[in-house]
Amino acid sequence: MKIHLFTLTLVCYGLVGCSGPSESVPSVPEPSDVIVMDDLPSLTDSDGHPEHGPHGGELIELGKEAFHVEMVHDAAKVSMFVLDNTATIPVAIEVQTLTLSLKHDGKVKSFELAADRQTDDPEGRSSHFSSTNGELMRWLDAEAEGAVVLSIEGSSYTGKISHDHDHSGHDH
């Protein structure tokens, strides 16, 4: 019995150590408890802006981020939403059309998107523009690049349309 008590004392002394009074040692999280930031989906880019617009579309910068346009398209419709500098709040503008100038396979073509006023937009202004032009959708599906041109409060803005993003996991 004395041997067991001596062994137990040695084991306890070895666990506590020679540091004097017992100190609280923080527990080490189990590997399943550790969150790796690289594994989380990024919601913002390196400048702190969202990677996608409020409707899940591609963001196009206007005027050194004075404004943004969000482009969303599928097989039936192309929509463009005018947004503020944070790319989160709609901005209703006075123009009746946005112009997309696209280039693909050496050809250049311009397309118009008509104002499609939202319920929150003031009378005579729109934050949303759309088109159901099949040719426009085919050009965008073929990864045409170009620019969107619009006027906001009397100033002209041009935003670059490019297809340098991954297409997996979403429709246009």
Side-chain angles (χ1 to χ4, degrees):
M1 175 89 166
K2 288 183 181 182
I3 294 176
H4 292 297
L5 183 59
F6 178 72
T7 306
L8 181 61
T9 304
L10 281 177
V11 169
C12 288
Y13 183 74
L15 289 175
V16 172
C18 300
S19 63
S22 98
E23 298 175 14
S24 133
V25 178
S27 65
V28 176
E30 294 295 317
S32 63
D33 296 338
V34 177
I35 297 173
V36 179
M37 294 306 287
D38 292 339
D39 293 341
L40 295 175
S42 175
L43 300 176
T44 61
D45 63 15
S46 61
D47 295 327
H49 292 101
E51 283 191 2
H52 301 285
H55 305 92
E58 179 180 350
L59 289 173
I60 301 164
E61 180 183 324
L62 301 173
K64 296 184 182 179
E65 298 191 51
F67 298 95
H68 293 82
V69 171
E70 175 187 12
M71 182 171 64
V72 178
H73 72 95
D74 58 25
K77 185 177 183 179
V78 176
S79 290
M80 299 194 95
F81 299 88
V82 182
L83 304 169
D84 70 347
N85 63 337
T86 67
T88 58
I89 299 171
V91 175
I93 60 177
E94 288 184 7
V95 300
Q96 296 303 305
T97 59
L98 297 185
T99 302
L100 289 181
S101 295
L102 299 176
K103 180 179 181 182
H104 182 66
D105 285 339
K107 297 176 186 173
V108 176
K109 183 151 179 129
S110 291
F111 300 91
E112 299 289 320
L113 280 79
D116 189 1
R117 187 173 166 265
Q118 303 294 284
T119 55
D120 292 340
D121 292 341
E123 190 66 40
R125 293 175 167 256
S126 183
S127 61
H128 177 234
F129 298 80
S130 64
S131 174
T132 57
N133 181 322
E135 186 177 14
L136 169 58
M137 288 173 271
R138 285 189 296 278
W139 277 58
L140 290 172
D141 287 340
E143 298 189 0
E145 296 193 349
V148 56
V149 181
L150 65 148
S151 177
I152 302 175
E153 301 301 327
S155 296
S156 182
Y157 292 92
T158 302
K160 181 181 176 187
I161 297 172
S162 62
H163 287 276
D164 57 355
H165 62 278
D166 181 16
H167 289 266
S168 63
H170 72 86
D171 289 334
H172 281 266

